[in-house]
Amino acid sequence: MPKVIFVASDQTRREIEISGGWSLMEGAVQNDVTEIVAECGGGCACATCHVFIEPAWLDKLPEQTPSEKDLLDCTAVPRQSNSRLSCQIKLTPEMDGMVVHLPQRQT
Amino acid sequence: MKRFIIVGAGQAGLQVAESLRRGGFDGEVLLVGEEASLPYQRPPLSKKYLLGEVEAPRLLFRPADHYAKLGIACHLGVPVAKLDKENRIVYLADGAELCYDRLALTTGARVRELTVPGAGDPRVCYLRGLNDAENLRVRLSQARRVAIIGGGFIGLEVAAIARGLGCEVAVLETQSRVLQRVVAPVVSDFFARIHRERGVNIQLAQQVSAIDATPDALTIITADGSSVVADLIVAGIGVLPNIELARASGLLCDGGIVVDEFARTSDPSIVSAGDCTMHRNLLYPRPHRIESVQNAVDQAKVAAGTLLDHPVAYAQVPWFWSDQYDFKLQMTGISTGYDELVLRGEPEKGAFSVFYYADERLIAADSINRPAEHMVSRKLIATPGGCYPKAQLADTAIDLKTIF
Ligand SMILES: Cc1cc2nc3c(=O)[nH]c(=O)nc-3n(C[C@H](O)[C@H](O)[C@H](O)COP(=O)(O)OP(=O)(O)OC[C@H]3O[C@@H](n4cnc5c(N)ncnc54)[C@H](O)[C@@H]3O)c2cc1C
Ligand code: FES
C-alpha cells in the first residue's frame, strides 16, 4: 500500500497508508485527515478536496481533466502551480512516499 | 454532564455531531440511527456504487475509530420509537430509554412507494439506502430489461447506470418533460436527448396504472392502454420526510419538521436539520424543504451552533449535482418563479449553463459540464443585488471568473 505524507498548514506531518486504487481524497478522509472536506464525495464538483503536491511528485500524477482544471480556479485558498483536487488522484505504487500539503481551509 | 442526542445517523446527523465537537462541546454526544451502518454517503448509491466501481466501506464518511476519538457514541441499528419532549426522553425500539438535555432530529426522508396494483412485487425496487442499493445492484446484474418509473434525478441516474451495464432501459415519466419540477425546458430537453441517444426509451406524459407480475416478466400498464415489459422496475417517484416521530411528540410539522432560520423547532430544546425539515433560509421569503447534501451539511452546522448557544442564521445558496453518463449537472439557487432565461454555450456541444432571472435578478443557474461556471454562479447568486449584465453571462468569450 502506498504511503502518503500529509503536511498540515501548521506543518504537522501525518503518514498514511492508502489502498491502491483508492483516491487520495478517500484515503485522507478514511484516515481522519479532516482538512479535506470533500463535500461532493469525489464527484469533481465542489473543490473542497484541494491539496498542494510537493513538486517532485507532480509528474507521477494522472493528467488533469478539463473539469479539474476549471474547478481549481474556485478553491477557497487560491490555486498554485502544484494544486490538485485530491479526489481526482488514484493512488498507484509510484506515489509511495508522496508529500501532500494541506491548505488552511476548503470553504 | 450535559447530554445531546442526535436522532438519525445520516449526512446531517454526523455533521451536527462533528460541529458540536469542533465548537468545543464537552458533554456527551449520542448519535442514534436506524440503519446498521456507520454514516455513509448516499449520492454514490445511484452512481459509482451501483455501477460496481466502489464497495460499501468506501462510502463511509469517517472510519470507525473516528467516532471514539471525537467522543461520539453511536447507537446504530435501532430506531427511536418515541419522543417525550416534556420529560426529555427518547425511547428506542428495543426498549432503551435515553434522557437528553438537547436534541437534534436529523431523520431524513424515505422513498415514496408506488401504490398501483402489482407494485408489491419484489422486482419493484427503490433506492434510498445502502440496503436498497445492494439489492438493486444484484438485481440489475441479472436483468435484461429495466423499466424506471419517474424521470427525476434518481430515475435518470439509475437509467444511465443500467444502460452502462448493458440493460435495455425505459423511463416512464408522468409529466411532459423529465426533471420538470427543477429545471428549465432547455435542460430537460438536453437530458432527454442524451438518454435517447444512448438508447433509453423515454416515454413522457405516461401515467402508470398497474403492474402485471408473472414469474417471467413485469408488464407496466399505462393509463393510455400501452404497456412496457421489464424484468426489473425501479421507482424513483420522490421521497417523504420522516416526520412521524416529531409529529407524534407534538412538534410543529407542515410538510416537514418546521424550523426557523436557526434550525429551532417549536420546542426550545430541539433542533432539526436536513431532508426532514421545512425550514427558513434568510435568502428566501418562504420556507421550503430541500433534499441535498449542501442543505444537510449547512443546516446541520446551523443546528449545532444553536445547540451550543452560538446561533447563526441559515442563509446559504443551495446547490446540487447529478451525474449521468459523462455529464455532470450542477445547480445552484432556486429557480422557482423565474421570468427570463439566459443561455451560455451550446447544449448541442454538451457543455453549457443556463441562468435564471426573476425581476432582473439572477436567482439560479444550472451548469452542464461547466464546473467553474457553477462555482462562480454560486458566488454571483450569494451576492446581494445580483444584477449581472445578461449579455456578459451569455458571451462565452468572456471568462465568467473575471466578472466576479
Ligand atoms: C440515491 C441517492 C442519490 C443522491 N444523490 C445526490 C446528489 O448527487 N447530490 C446531492 O446533493 N444530494 C443527493 N442525494 C440526496 C442526499 O443524499 C440527501 O439529501 C442527504 O443524504 C440528506 O441527509 P439527511 O441526514 O437529512 O438524511 P439521511 O441521509 O436520509 O439520513 C437520515 C437518517 O436517519 C435515520 N432515521 C430516520 N428515522 C429515524 C428514527 N426514528 N430513529 C433513528 N434513525 C432514524 C435514517 O435511517 C437515516 O439513516 C441523493 C440521495 C439518494 C438516496
Ligand atoms: S471531493 Fe468534491 S471535488 Fe473532490
Side-chain angles (χ1 to χ4, degrees):
Chain A
M1 288 205 286
K3 250 187 225 133
V4 176
I5 296 133
F6 287 93
V7 184
S9 53
D10 65 2
Q11 300 309 312
T12 340
R13 292 166 79 89
R14 267 165 295 177
E15 206 174 288
I16 282 164
E17 284 191 353
I18 301 179
S19 312
W22 283 44
S23 74
L24 189 56
M25 177 280 282
E26 288 172 307
V29 168
Q30 285 306 316
N31 285 285
D32 249 349
V33 177
T34 48
E35 290 89 341
I36 304 234
V37 175
E39 272 173 355
C40 78
C44 199
C46 72
T48 63
C49 62
H50 181 204
V51 293
F52 302 107
I53 306 287
E54 184 88 15
W57 298 89
L58 281 173
D59 61 345
K60 307 273 192 301
L61 304 183
E63 288 237 358
Q64 291 180 19
T65 61
S67 296
E68 183 185 347
K69 272 190 198 142
D70 214 15
L71 210 46
L72 275 170
D73 283 335
C74 306
T75 51
V77 171
R79 78 186 296 169
Q80 296 172 14
S81 55
N82 59 340
S83 281
R84 292 296 304 252
L85 294 180
S86 56
C87 69
Q88 299 303 301
I89 298 174
K90 258 195 193 161
L91 265 294
T92 61
E94 297 78 66
M95 295 176 200
D96 190 25
M98 180 162 75
V99 179
V100 177
H101 297 269
L102 298 161
Q104 203 155 26
R105 56 197 185 87
Q106 296 282 6
T107 52
Chain B
M1 186 159 65
K2 283 220 169 107
R3 180 192 275 170
F4 290 178
I5 297 184
I6 303 160
V7 180
Q11 181 110 40
L14 170 61
Q15 186 64 52
V16 171
E18 292 204 348
S19 295
L20 284 176
R21 286 297 181 226
R22 295 224 173 102
F25 181 63
D26 57 6
E28 259 183 276
V29 176
L30 254 74
L31 185 57
V32 185
E34 177 169 20
E35 290 180 276
S37 170
L38 284 169
Y40 60 90
Q41 310 172 52
R42 291 183 201 280
L45 297 181
S46 52
K47 306 176 181 81
K48 279 186 193 164
Y49 179 82
L50 204 54
L51 199 57
E53 277 184 7
V54 299
E55 294 308 316
R58 276 169 81 171
L59 301 181
L60 296 182
F61 286 112
R62 300 288 179 203
D65 60 355
H66 172 81
Y67 295 87
K69 265 193 255 169
L70 271 191
I72 298 169
C74 298
H75 284 242
L76 301 174
V78 188
V80 170
K82 191 177 155 219
L83 161 61
D84 172 357
K85 62 186 174 51
E86 273 65 46
N87 297 304
R88 287 191 279 187
I89 301 173
V90 292
Y91 294 88
L92 304 200
D94 64 5
E97 294 177 20
L98 300 166
C99 302
Y100 63 83
D101 292 289
R102 290 189 178 173
L103 185 74
L105 294 174
T106 49
T107 47
R110 62 179 180 277
V111 292
R112 184 192 294 276
E113 294 188 9
L114 273 178
T115 52
V116 299
D121 191 279
R123 290 166 292 176
V124 178
C125 297
Y126 301 90
L127 182 51
R128 175 73 194 181
L130 194 50
N131 293 342
D132 301 325
E134 275 168 9
N135 173 40
L136 190 55
R137 198 154 107 164
V138 173
R139 288 182 182 271
L140 270 175
S141 69
Q142 294 156 359
R144 189 167 60 79
R145 298 161 300 182
V146 179
I148 290 159
I149 300 179
F153 289 117
I154 299 281
L156 294 182
E157 289 187 0
V158 173
I161 299 295
R163 272 310 287 153
L165 294 170
C167 305
E168 260 175 51
V169 180
V171 175
L172 284 78
E173 164 59 51
T174 52
Q175 304 295 327
S176 59
R177 55 188 177 90
V178 297
L179 305 174
Q180 175 159 28
R181 209 168 48 84
V182 282
V183 299
V186 56
V187 180
S188 294
D189 294 347
F190 174 81
F191 279 98
R193 176 168 67 77
I194 61 161
H195 280 278
R196 285 184 171 134
E197 282 172 0
R198 286 159 184 77
V200 175
N201 171 9
I202 295 208
Q203 299 194 16
L204 302 170
Q206 281 285 26
Q207 191 81 41
V208 173
S209 47
I211 295 165
D212 181 22
T214 66
D216 299 332
L218 298 162
T219 306
I220 300 178
I221 318 284
T222 62
D224 69 0
S226 62
S227 60
V228 174
V229 182
D231 310 309
L232 175 66
I233 293 176
V234 184
I237 54 170
V239 298
L240 300 169
N242 290 323
I243 59 174
E244 290 70 17
L245 180 71
R247 192 162 48 198
S249 77
L251 286 176
L252 186 63
C253 294
D254 180 11
I257 300 172
V258 173
V259 297
D260 66 6
E261 62 272 32
F262 299 106
R264 292 182 298 212
T265 66
S266 55
D267 181 298
S269 305
I270 307 177
V271 295
S272 182
D275 281 14
C276 61
T277 62
M278 179 59 82
H279 62 266
R280 282 304 316 272
N281 177 331
L282 287 190
L283 302 178
Y284 298 97
R286 273 183 294 277
H288 51 217
R289 199 175 68 74
I290 291 183
E291 296 139 25
S292 75
V293 167
Q294 172 277 325
N295 179 62
V297 170
D298 288 337
Q299 214 193 359
K301 291 178 185 168
V302 170
T306 297
L307 290 174
L308 293 170
D309 294 322
H310 297 303
V312 180
Y314 188 35
Q316 300 283 329
V317 178
W319 55 267
F320 183 83
W321 80 98
S322 171
D323 293 332
Q324 295 165 42
Y325 310 104
D326 290 333
F327 298 96
K328 180 180 297 297
L329 164 66
Q330 292 173 277
M331 312 169 63
T332 180
I334 294 180
S335 59
T336 316
Y338 73 90
D339 53 28
E340 196 178 346
L341 288 176
V342 174
L343 182 64
R344 178 184 172 89
E346 294 164 63
E348 303 72 43
K349 295 200 173 144
F352 64 103
S353 290
V354 178
F355 299 96
Y356 299 77
Y357 278 79
D359 295 329
E360 300 296 317
R361 267 190 56 239
L362 178 65
I363 56 167
D366 298 340
S367 302
I368 286 92
N369 284 6
R370 285 272 185 256
E373 290 182 5
H374 165 77
M375 294 301 286
V376 174
S377 303
R378 269 156 72 168
K379 289 184 189 156
L380 294 177
I381 293 167
T383 312
C387 302
Y388 300 97
K390 293 170 201 155
Q392 277 192 14
L393 292 190
D395 186 352
T396 48
I398 301 174
D399 186 345
L400 269 197
K401 292 165 214 148
T402 63
I403 298 184
F404 189 73

